[in-house]
Amino acid sequence: MSPEVISIGALLVMFVVGTVLPINLGILAFVATFAVGTASLGLTEDEIFEGFPVDLFVTIVGVTYLFSVASRNGTIDLLVTAGVRLVRGKVALIPWVLFLVAALLTAFGTFTPAAVALLVPIGMNFAYRYKLNPLVIGMMVISGGHAGAFSPLAVSGALVLGLVDKTALHVSPVALFAASFVINLLLSLLTYMLLAKRPVPPAERDEVTADDEEPAVSGMPDWRQWLTLACLVALVVGALGFQLEVGFLALAAGALLALVDMKRQEKAVDGISWPTLLLVGGMMTYIAMLEKAGIIEEISEHTAKLGAPLVVALLLCFTVAITSAFASSTAILTAIIPLAVPLLLSSHLSAAGLIAALAVSTTIVDTSPFSTNGALVLANARGVDTRRFYRQIIGYTGSIVALGPVVAWGALVLPWS
């Protein structure tokens, strides 16, 4: 059996096992890297570990640690409360405020599932209280999270830009962020227009509990929260204005905030997204090993022979959308972008357009109840028939899987190629 077949077979097995069984895909990737690299590709251990993404590791540790610190000192709650206060007396604005708050949180470095986990319970309580469609609330929170997820400060944005930086291609951080934001904004607009007035399968309303009360409105920020807000602004200015390393800036800001609030920040390190680090580290090490052995180049050459580059690009968008509805979006991105690089280098396709289209196609299907975000929406919905609501989420996700890749390809790849 050829090394190419073994390598891709191992990758497929990892996705299946990591999706079906409760084991981190990154752990499987590290094991497969060692096994395939030494037994099939003849690489040494030093050659294998050259592909470990040290810079991305620091970035993810830094931004998730800073978010954990900001969450523990109440700054994140303060930002959420400030957004929620805007809807008093303006019920129709609730979904849009949640969309914008989710986008703001992820754009500043909050991992998307963390932002969704923070906002979905709030949104579902609003939907229950004001008799809004919870499907609209939930889907717009997820879209908002993905709208900001590809900023240069975000985990997903840093991941994609880090993958591209290792190649001869160049993708503008602004273009990637703008593409994701605009498409998710349009998706939310369509969702709101088509579904906001649609009735939801009702269930018997339970008795009003303390959770149904209006959210508590906090007072003015204390000095630690003002310092946290100042650190967030400094992070943006340093990263975008002076091109400083985001990860080190975030770690420095987090360390400063922890030093001035040691009692509350003693366990802030627990908030670092260790599962994401394992996933990204393992997958990127495996893909780097395949690149070093020439497997990626061989696969890309075969892919290029399938037809016109535009057709191949569309097929890639559909592939990542279908797969990501059942598997980790982060893992899909780390696997598919290296496969697309040789196609971009050998064709007239727009690098920024295809990379953005793949990023959007991979993430907009995270509304699936089989993903973390979709499952959070289903779990927190109140006052609905759960089975019928589940079918509504499935139908919504199916529509996105069918149309999302075409829209991303048509808007981001076709006009610029």
Side-chain angles (χ1 to χ4, degrees), residues 87-130:
V87 304
R88 290 187 176 276
K90 302 176 182 178
V91 175
L93 294 180
I94 289 176
W96 292 108
V97 170
L98 293 171
F99 173 91
L100 292 174
V101 172
L104 181 66
L105 289 176
T106 54
F108 274 88
T110 307
F111 197 42
T112 305
V116 172
L118 181 68
L119 293 176
V120 160
I122 296 174
M124 289 305 168
N125 275 322
F126 271 111
Y128 180 75
R129 185 182 306 119
Y130 297 118

Side-chain angles (χ1 to χ4, degrees), residues 18-34:
T19 302
V20 175
L21 300 179
I23 183 170
N24 189 290
L25 191 58
I27 294 177
L28 299 176
F30 277 123
V31 174
T33 300
F34 178 77

Side-chain angles (χ1 to χ4, degrees), residues 36 74 91 116 120 125 152 169 174 230 242 245 260 278 301 331 336 344 356 388 412:
V36 175
V91 175
V116 172
V120 160
N125 275 322
L169 301 173
V174 176
F242 297 94
E245 175 60 42
V260 300
L278 274 174
E301 289 176 356
I336 200 65
L344 289 167
R388 292 180 64 187
L412 302 173

Side-chain angles (χ1 to χ4, degrees), residues 121-414:
I122 296 174
M124 289 305 168
N125 275 322
F126 271 111
Y128 180 75
R129 185 182 306 119
Y130 297 118
K131 299 182 180 179
L132 301 174
N133 190 326
L135 182 65
V136 173
I137 296 286
M139 299 304 104
M140 287 183 65
V141 168
I142 294 174
S143 293
H146 289 308
F150 289 97
S151 87
L153 303 179
V155 174
S156 298
L159 170 64
V160 172
L161 294 172
L163 286 168
V164 174
D165 285 344
K166 297 179 183 296
T167 71
L169 301 173
H170 173 72
V171 173
S172 166
V174 176
L176 178 65
F177 177 48
S180 177
F181 190 93
V182 170
I183 288 183
N184 278 282
L185 178 62
L186 292 176
L187 175 61
S188 292
L189 182 62
L190 286 174
T191 299
Y192 186 83
M193 291 173 60
L194 296 176
L195 300 178
K197 302 295 185 181
R198 187 173 178 179
V200 181
E204 292 184 6
R205 291 178 62 92
D206 52 358
E207 293 183 3
V208 177
T209 65
D211 291 337
D212 294 324
E213 299 300 324
E214 293 288 337
V217 180
S218 61
M220 291 294 292
D222 61 28
W223 68 270
R224 292 183 180 87
Q225 292 166 341
W226 280 118
L227 180 59
T228 303
L229 294 173
C231 286
L232 292 176
V233 172
L235 180 68
V236 174
V237 173
L240 300 184
F242 297 94
Q243 306 302 312
L244 299 178
E245 175 60 42
V246 173
F248 287 118
L249 287 177
L251 283 172
L256 172 63
L257 295 171
L259 287 172
V260 300
D261 191 16
M262 287 186 286
K263 287 186 178 180
R264 280 191 293 186
Q265 303 301 342
E266 182 179 358
K267 296 184 178 180
V269 70
D270 295 343
I272 295 175
S273 186
W274 299 114
T276 303
L277 284 167
L278 274 174
L279 173 62
V280 172
M283 285 298 300
M284 291 190 69
T285 304
Y286 187 81
I287 294 299
M289 177 197 67
L290 298 187
E291 290 177 332
K292 190 174 187 64
I295 301 297
I296 297 295
E297 185 176 354
E298 292 179 21
I299 294 172
S300 300
E301 289 176 356
H302 293 317
T303 303
K305 295 177 182 177
L306 293 176
L310 279 172
V311 176
V312 176
L314 180 58
L315 290 176
L316 287 176
C317 289
F318 268 111
T319 300
V320 296
I322 295 170
T323 309
S324 186
F326 299 93
S328 166
S329 302
T330 308
I332 299 299
L333 281 174
T334 56
I336 200 65
I337 290 179
L339 293 176
V341 169
L343 173 65
L344 289 167
L345 293 175
S346 61
S347 69
H348 296 292
L349 295 177
S350 164
L354 180 55
I355 296 298
L358 291 173
V360 169
S361 299
T362 303
T363 53
I364 59 174
V365 298
D366 281 351
T367 56
S368 164
F370 305 111
S371 70
T372 301
N373 295 336
L376 284 168
V377 172
L378 182 63
N380 285 279
R382 301 188 56 194
V384 299
D385 184 314
T386 303
R387 291 183 180 179
R388 292 180 64 187
F389 188 56
Y390 168 81
R391 289 197 292 269
Q392 283 193 343
I393 296 177
I394 288 289
Y396 182 90
T397 303
S399 301
I400 294 179
V401 171
L403 299 177
V406 177
V407 173
W409 176 82
L412 302 173
V413 179
L414 190 59

